[in-house]
Amino acid sequence: MISGMDLKALFSIQYGLYIVSTKADGRNNGQIANVVFQVTSQPAQIAICLSKNNLTHDLVKKSGIFGVSVLEQNTPMKLIGTFGYKSGRDIDKFEGVNFETGPAGCPLVKDNALSVMEARVTGVMEVGSHTLFVGELTCASCLKECPAMTYEYYHQVKKGKSPENAPTYQNVSGQPKKVEEKVTMKNYICNVCGYVYDPSVGDPDNGVAPGTPFDKVPDAWVCPVCGVGKDQFTEE
Ligand code: FE
């Protein structure tokens, strides 16, 4: 008999990384989500799961529409940071972002997206801290062919951390193992968002070559996820 409760088992479930978007009261908003999946093919319906703490959640409830952008593997941390670690209560996340509107009026983010789709809500299920929304597609479009970002890749290679409102957030030990590690250079962690600067990886998206130790990273460099300065990092 298998008993016990090793929550690390949950890490073996595979997810992607998506931007879920909506528009309500004339306001565009969106967030990073990793729980998006197809539930039926006829009609084509997909489901999303959003934290009740997030503004996007409230706006989807209001509008009854949502969009999904499937992110590509080399999506820069900056885009993930904008949609994942900042709140639409403070900023317009769509400023400077390339998007188009779907037939139901939802803004669909095209930057770094393999595909975009829009859905009208057909079912809502309360699941404690989160709400599961099911929606029937109103449009779907393939934008480019390349590997999709998986949640595993995001954690292991991009060194991303789950926002606390992600359904899969785990406040337990058992983080995925590092892909490679150089003992001579230390990792530094962002005190604000948990992004880890790994010298062997650098931050090529922002001009820091792999192999750059943290003290050689330019002073003007900021956390690629949340935007704070180097002084907010501590040795991991
Ligand atoms: Fe950060």
Side-chain angles (χ1 to χ4, degrees):
M1 183 179 112
I2 294 177
S3 63
M5 188 62 76
D6 183 355
L7 294 178
K8 288 202 287 295
L10 294 170
F11 294 154
S12 59
I13 300 175
Q14 295 298 306
Y15 301 90
L17 211 64
Y18 312 92
I19 292 176
V20 170
S21 53
T22 192
K23 180 174 189 171
D25 302 333
R27 179 177 195 174
N28 290 335
N29 200 49
Q31 66 161 87
I32 295 290
N34 67 308
V35 179
V36 173
F37 53 99
Q38 181 175 357
V39 288
T40 57
S41 57
Q42 286 184 331
Q45 294 183 107
I46 57 174
I48 58 171
C49 193
L50 302 179
S51 165
K52 291 176 180 173
N53 291 330
N54 290 349
L55 177 62
T56 304
H57 170 276
D58 296 349
L59 298 182
V60 170
K61 264 210 154 158
K62 235 181 211 178
S63 66
I65 54 170
F66 62 86
V68 171
S69 302
V70 180
L71 295 175
E72 64 177 317
Q73 192 176 69
N74 61 7
T75 300
M77 291 298 274
K78 188 168 180 292
L79 186 72
I80 297 170
T82 298
F83 280 91
Y85 288 92
K86 293 177 183 169
S87 174
R89 296 182 181 97
D90 307 321
I91 60 157
D92 175 7
K93 296 187 181 183
F94 284 78
E95 201 185 306
V97 169
N98 183 22
F99 68 95
E100 270 185 63
T101 303
C106 194
L108 304 170
V109 176
K110 293 166 68 182
D111 287 337
N112 303 103
L114 269 65
S115 62
V116 291
M117 53 203 86
E118 181 192 63
R120 202 178 285 284
V121 174
T122 54
V124 178
M125 184 180 180
E126 303 287 331
V127 284
S129 58
H130 288 64
T131 301
L132 186 71
F133 296 95
V134 174
E136 184 174 340
L137 292 191
T138 52
C139 76
S141 177
C142 295
L143 304 183
K144 67 196 309 192
E145 279 186 36
C146 58
M149 176 83 91
T150 63
Y151 204 52
E152 190 176 28
Y153 184 90
Y154 169 65
H155 279 291
Q156 294 194 350
V157 182
K158 304 287 272 188
K159 307 294 180 192
K161 183 188 173 190
S162 306
E164 284 187 36
N165 290 334
T168 51
Y169 176 77
Q170 287 285 341
N171 194 15
V172 295
S173 60
Q175 291 296 308
K177 287 214 163 41
K178 288 167 188 169
V179 173
E180 57 176 285
E181 189 166 43
K182 285 193 179 167
V183 289
T184 49
M185 289 188 289
K186 299 220 166 66
N187 287 353
Y188 279 73
I189 185 165
C190 174
N191 298 329
V192 175
C193 73
Y195 166 83
V196 174
Y197 176 81
D198 179 343
S200 66
V201 176
D203 180 14
D205 288 344
N206 295 296
V208 180
T212 308
F214 191 73
D215 60 348
K216 293 282 191 295
V217 173
D219 289 337
W221 179 83
V222 295
C223 174
V225 174
C226 72
V228 299
K230 276 183 77 179
D231 56 328
Q232 291 297 317
F233 279 71
T234 47
E235 211 176 290
E236 197 180 28

PDB file of all heavy atoms in Angstrom, residues 5 8-10 12 18 25 33 49 78-79 121 136 154 156 168-169 172 186 207 209 223:
ATOM      1  N   MET A   5       2.606  11.323   2.280  1.00  0.00           N
ATOM      2  CA  MET A   5       2.263  12.503   1.498  1.00  0.00           C
ATOM      3  C   MET A   5       3.532  13.244   1.116  1.00  0.00           C
ATOM      4  O   MET A   5       3.912  14.230   1.742  1.00  0.00           O
ATOM      5  CB  MET A   5       1.334  13.397   2.346  1.00  0.00           C
ATOM      6  CG  MET A   5       0.732  14.563   1.605  1.00  0.00           C
ATOM      7  SD  MET A   5      -0.313  14.107   0.236  1.00  0.00           S
ATOM      8  CE  MET A   5      -1.774  13.566   1.133  1.00  0.00           C
ATOM      9  N   LYS A   8       6.537  16.379  -3.135  1.00  0.00           N
ATOM     10  CA  LYS A   8       7.438  16.505  -4.282  1.00  0.00           C
ATOM     11  C   LYS A   8       6.900  15.736  -5.483  1.00  0.00           C
ATOM     12  O   LYS A   8       7.281  15.976  -6.614  1.00  0.00           O
ATOM     13  CB  LYS A   8       8.842  16.036  -3.919  1.00  0.00           C
ATOM     14  CG  LYS A   8       9.570  17.007  -2.979  1.00  0.00           C
ATOM     15  CD  LYS A   8      11.081  16.854  -3.038  1.00  0.00           C
ATOM     16  CE  LYS A   8      11.568  15.593  -2.351  1.00  0.00           C
ATOM     17  NZ  LYS A   8      11.308  15.594  -0.895  1.00  0.00           N
ATOM     18  N   ALA A   9       6.031  14.783  -5.228  1.00  0.00           N
ATOM     19  CA  ALA A   9       5.401  14.031  -6.323  1.00  0.00           C
ATOM     20  C   ALA A   9       4.702  14.986  -7.279  1.00  0.00           C
ATOM     21  O   ALA A   9       4.646  14.746  -8.490  1.00  0.00           O
ATOM     22  CB  ALA A   9       4.407  13.025  -5.765  1.00  0.00           C
ATOM     23  N   LEU A  10       4.216  16.095  -6.739  1.00  0.00           N
ATOM     24  CA  LEU A  10       3.495  17.048  -7.590  1.00  0.00           C
ATOM     25  C   LEU A  10       4.412  17.705  -8.620  1.00  0.00           C
ATOM     26  O   LEU A  10       3.961  18.158  -9.669  1.00  0.00           O
ATOM     27  CB  LEU A  10       2.843  18.132  -6.718  1.00  0.00           C
ATOM     28  CG  LEU A  10       1.737  17.624  -5.785  1.00  0.00           C
ATOM     29  CD1 LEU A  10       1.327  18.713  -4.800  1.00  0.00           C
ATOM     30  CD2 LEU A  10       0.531  17.166  -6.584  1.00  0.00           C
ATOM     31  N   SER A  12       6.392  16.316 -10.510  1.00  0.00           N
ATOM     32  CA  SER A  12       6.554  15.521 -11.726  1.00  0.00           C
ATOM     33  C   SER A  12       5.406  15.721 -12.705  1.00  0.00           C
ATOM     34  O   SER A  12       5.427  15.188 -13.812  1.00  0.00           O
ATOM     35  CB  SER A  12       6.719  14.037 -11.364  1.00  0.00           C
ATOM     36  OG  SER A  12       5.596  13.584 -10.637  1.00  0.00           O
ATOM     37  N   TYR A  18       2.042  30.300 -19.626  1.00  0.00           N
ATOM     38  CA  TYR A  18       1.091  31.025 -20.466  1.00  0.00           C
ATOM     39  C   TYR A  18       0.826  32.426 -19.925  1.00  0.00           C
ATOM     40  O   TYR A  18       1.005  32.678 -18.730  1.00  0.00           O
ATOM     41  CB  TYR A  18      -0.257  30.280 -20.480  1.00  0.00           C
ATOM     42  CG  TYR A  18      -0.111  28.802 -20.731  1.00  0.00           C
ATOM     43  CD1 TYR A  18       0.013  27.900 -19.674  1.00  0.00           C
ATOM     44  CD2 TYR A  18      -0.061  28.309 -22.033  1.00  0.00           C
ATOM     45  CE1 TYR A  18       0.175  26.544 -19.896  1.00  0.00           C
ATOM     46  CE2 TYR A  18       0.102  26.955 -22.256  1.00  0.00           C
ATOM     47  CZ  TYR A  18       0.221  26.080 -21.183  1.00  0.00           C
ATOM     48  OH  TYR A  18       0.395  24.742 -21.420  1.00  0.00           O
ATOM     49  N   ASP A  25     -14.403  46.413 -17.903  1.00  0.00           N
ATOM     50  CA  ASP A  25     -14.507  47.840 -17.567  1.00  0.00           C
ATOM     51  C   ASP A  25     -13.508  48.676 -18.370  1.00  0.00           C
ATOM     52  O   ASP A  25     -12.916  49.626 -17.854  1.00  0.00           O
ATOM     53  CB  ASP A  25     -14.247  48.067 -16.068  1.00  0.00           C
ATOM     54  CG  ASP A  25     -15.217  47.274 -15.201  1.00  0.00           C
ATOM     55  OD1 ASP A  25     -16.329  46.989 -15.675  1.00  0.00           O
ATOM     56  OD2 ASP A  25     -14.852  46.933 -14.062  1.00  0.00           O
ATOM     57  N   ALA A  33       0.308  32.252 -16.094  1.00  0.00           N
ATOM     58  CA  ALA A  33      -0.375  31.100 -15.504  1.00  0.00           C
ATOM     59  C   ALA A  33       0.312  29.843 -16.017  1.00  0.00           C
ATOM     60  O   ALA A  33       0.843  29.827 -17.129  1.00  0.00           O
ATOM     61  CB  ALA A  33      -1.848  31.091 -15.894  1.00  0.00           C
ATOM     62  N   CYS A  49      -6.886  28.132 -14.358  1.00  0.00           N
ATOM     63  CA  CYS A  49      -7.083  28.184 -12.908  1.00  0.00           C
ATOM     64  C   CYS A  49      -6.364  29.415 -12.374  1.00  0.00           C
ATOM     65  O   CYS A  49      -5.149  29.546 -12.534  1.00  0.00           O
ATOM     66  CB  CYS A  49      -6.525  26.905 -12.275  1.00  0.00           C
ATOM     67  SG  CYS A  49      -7.044  26.708 -10.557  1.00  0.00           S
ATOM     68  N   LYS A  78      11.947  39.228 -18.699  1.00  0.00           N
ATOM     69  CA  LYS A  78      11.302  40.538 -18.535  1.00  0.00           C
ATOM     70  C   LYS A  78       9.796  40.435 -18.794  1.00  0.00           C
ATOM     71  O   LYS A  78       8.983  40.991 -18.049  1.00  0.00           O
ATOM     72  CB  LYS A  78      11.946  41.536 -19.509  1.00  0.00           C
ATOM     73  CG  LYS A  78      11.512  42.963 -19.308  1.00  0.00           C
ATOM     74  CD  LYS A  78      12.418  43.901 -20.103  1.00  0.00           C
ATOM     75  CE  LYS A  78      12.010  45.351 -19.910  1.00  0.00           C
ATOM     76  NZ  LYS A  78      10.707  45.655 -20.508  1.00  0.00           N
ATOM     77  N   LEU A  79       9.413  39.724 -19.838  1.00  0.00           N
ATOM     78  CA  LEU A  79       7.976  39.581 -20.137  1.00  0.00           C
ATOM     79  C   LEU A  79       7.291  38.772 -19.027  1.00  0.00           C
ATOM     80  O   LEU A  79       6.186  39.112 -18.584  1.00  0.00           O
ATOM     81  CB  LEU A  79       7.780  38.890 -21.499  1.00  0.00           C
ATOM     82  CG  LEU A  79       6.323  38.817 -21.975  1.00  0.00           C
ATOM     83  CD1 LEU A  79       5.825  40.196 -22.404  1.00  0.00           C
ATOM     84  CD2 LEU A  79       6.156  37.825 -23.134  1.00  0.00           C
ATOM     85  N   VAL A 121     -16.403  32.153 -21.186  1.00  0.00           N
ATOM     86  CA  VAL A 121     -16.568  31.274 -20.023  1.00  0.00           C
ATOM     87  C   VAL A 121     -17.880  30.495 -20.105  1.00  0.00           C
ATOM     88  O   VAL A 121     -18.956  31.072 -20.309  1.00  0.00           O
ATOM     89  CB  VAL A 121     -16.502  32.081 -18.707  1.00  0.00           C
ATOM     90  CG1 VAL A 121     -16.828  31.191 -17.501  1.00  0.00           C
ATOM     91  CG2 VAL A 121     -15.116  32.704 -18.529  1.00  0.00           C
ATOM     92  N   GLU A 136     -15.303  28.166 -23.878  1.00  0.00           N
ATOM     93  CA  GLU A 136     -15.354  27.669 -25.254  1.00  0.00           C
ATOM     94  C   GLU A 136     -14.612  28.642 -26.163  1.00  0.00           C
ATOM     95  O   GLU A 136     -14.798  29.863 -26.078  1.00  0.00           O
ATOM     96  CB  GLU A 136     -16.818  27.546 -25.702  1.00  0.00           C
ATOM     97  CG  GLU A 136     -16.943  26.934 -27.086  1.00  0.00           C
ATOM     98  CD  GLU A 136     -18.399  26.672 -27.473  1.00  0.00           C
ATOM     99  OE1 GLU A 136     -19.272  26.604 -26.571  1.00  0.00           O
ATOM    100  OE2 GLU A 136     -18.647  26.548 -28.686  1.00  0.00           O
ATOM    101  N   TYR A 154      11.420  26.551 -17.267  1.00  0.00           N
ATOM    102  CA  TYR A 154      11.384  27.850 -16.604  1.00  0.00           C
ATOM    103  C   TYR A 154      12.119  27.793 -15.259  1.00  0.00           C
ATOM    104  O   TYR A 154      12.902  28.677 -14.917  1.00  0.00           O
ATOM    105  CB  TYR A 154       9.926  28.269 -16.421  1.00  0.00           C
ATOM    106  CG  TYR A 154       9.697  29.463 -15.533  1.00  0.00           C
ATOM    107  CD1 TYR A 154      10.172  30.728 -15.891  1.00  0.00           C
ATOM    108  CD2 TYR A 154       8.996  29.344 -14.343  1.00  0.00           C
ATOM    109  CE1 TYR A 154       9.955  31.827 -15.075  1.00  0.00           C
ATOM    110  CE2 TYR A 154       8.765  30.432 -13.526  1.00  0.00           C
ATOM    111  CZ  TYR A 154       9.249  31.674 -13.891  1.00  0.00           C
ATOM    112  OH  TYR A 154       9.024  32.742 -13.074  1.00  0.00           O
ATOM    113  N   GLN A 156      14.311  25.257 -14.191  1.00  0.00           N
ATOM    114  CA  GLN A 156      15.654  24.702 -14.212  1.00  0.00           C
ATOM    115  C   GLN A 156      16.631  25.551 -14.995  1.00  0.00           C
ATOM    116  O   GLN A 156      17.768  25.711 -14.598  1.00  0.00           O
ATOM    117  CB  GLN A 156      15.630  23.289 -14.800  1.00  0.00           C
ATOM    118  CG  GLN A 156      14.870  22.324 -13.910  1.00  0.00           C
ATOM    119  CD  GLN A 156      15.112  20.883 -14.290  1.00  0.00           C
ATOM    120  OE1 GLN A 156      15.699  20.605 -15.326  1.00  0.00           O
ATOM    121  NE2 GLN A 156      14.665  19.969 -13.478  1.00  0.00           N
ATOM    122  N   THR A 168       0.521  25.934  -8.298  1.00  0.00           N
ATOM    123  CA  THR A 168       1.546  24.927  -8.049  1.00  0.00           C
ATOM    124  C   THR A 168       2.622  25.405  -7.103  1.00  0.00           C
ATOM    125  O   THR A 168       3.595  24.711  -6.867  1.00  0.00           O
ATOM    126  CB  THR A 168       2.207  24.534  -9.373  1.00  0.00           C
ATOM    127  OG1 THR A 168       2.604  25.741 -10.031  1.00  0.00           O
ATOM    128  CG2 THR A 168       1.252  23.761 -10.252  1.00  0.00           C
ATOM    129  N   TYR A 169       2.477  26.615  -6.553  1.00  0.00           N
ATOM    130  CA  TYR A 169       3.490  27.135  -5.631  1.00  0.00           C
ATOM    131  C   TYR A 169       3.676  26.180  -4.467  1.00  0.00           C
ATOM    132  O   TYR A 169       2.718  25.733  -3.854  1.00  0.00           O
ATOM    133  CB  TYR A 169       3.069  28.511  -5.111  1.00  0.00           C
ATOM    134  CG  TYR A 169       3.999  29.098  -4.078  1.00  0.00           C
ATOM    135  CD1 TYR A 169       5.209  29.659  -4.458  1.00  0.00           C
ATOM    136  CD2 TYR A 169       3.659  29.082  -2.733  1.00  0.00           C
ATOM    137  CE1 TYR A 169       6.059  30.205  -3.521  1.00  0.00           C
ATOM    138  CE2 TYR A 169       4.509  29.624  -1.780  1.00  0.00           C
ATOM    139  CZ  TYR A 169       5.706  30.181  -2.175  1.00  0.00           C
ATOM    140  OH  TYR A 169       6.538  30.721  -1.236  1.00  0.00           O
ATOM    141  N   VAL A 172       7.821  24.348   0.147  1.00  0.00           N
ATOM    142  CA  VAL A 172       8.532  23.246   0.790  1.00  0.00           C
ATOM    143  C   VAL A 172       9.869  23.062   0.094  1.00  0.00           C
ATOM    144  O   VAL A 172      10.062  23.547  -1.007  1.00  0.00           O
ATOM    145  CB  VAL A 172       7.750  21.910   0.672  1.00  0.00           C
ATOM    146  CG1 VAL A 172       6.452  21.995   1.420  1.00  0.00           C
ATOM    147  CG2 VAL A 172       7.512  21.544  -0.785  1.00  0.00           C
ATOM    148  N   LYS A 186      29.498  31.824  -7.117  1.00  0.00           N
ATOM    149  CA  LYS A 186      28.302  31.660  -6.292  1.00  0.00           C
ATOM    150  C   LYS A 186      27.046  32.208  -6.965  1.00  0.00           C
ATOM    151  O   LYS A 186      27.096  33.189  -7.701  1.00  0.00           O
ATOM    152  CB  LYS A 186      28.511  32.379  -4.966  1.00  0.00           C
ATOM    153  CG  LYS A 186      29.706  31.815  -4.186  1.00  0.00           C
ATOM    154  CD  LYS A 186      29.404  31.733  -2.709  1.00  0.00           C
ATOM    155  CE  LYS A 186      30.416  30.878  -1.983  1.00  0.00           C
ATOM    156  NZ  LYS A 186      31.772  31.449  -1.980  1.00  0.00           N
ATOM    157  N   GLY A 207      22.404  41.169 -21.791  1.00  0.00           N
ATOM    158  CA  GLY A 207      23.794  41.499 -22.090  1.00  0.00           C
ATOM    159  C   GLY A 207      24.827  41.010 -21.091  1.00  0.00           C
ATOM    160  O   GLY A 207      25.955  41.490 -21.100  1.00  0.00           O
ATOM    161  N   ALA A 209      27.035  37.936 -20.219  1.00  0.00           N
ATOM    162  CA  ALA A 209      27.441  36.672 -20.825  1.00  0.00           C
ATOM    163  C   ALA A 209      27.523  35.548 -19.793  1.00  0.00           C
ATOM    164  O   ALA A 209      27.827  35.806 -18.621  1.00  0.00           O
ATOM    165  CB  ALA A 209      28.796  36.839 -21.497  1.00  0.00           C
ATOM    166  N   CYS A 223      17.372  43.116 -11.713  1.00  0.00           N
ATOM    167  CA  CYS A 223      16.749  41.800 -11.727  1.00  0.00           C
ATOM    168  C   CYS A 223      15.854  41.691 -12.964  1.00  0.00           C
ATOM    169  O   CYS A 223      14.974  42.529 -13.161  1.00  0.00           O
ATOM    170  CB  CYS A 223      15.919  41.585 -10.456  1.00  0.00           C
ATOM    171  SG  CYS A 223      14.984  40.049 -10.513  1.00  0.00           S
TER     172      CYS A 223
END
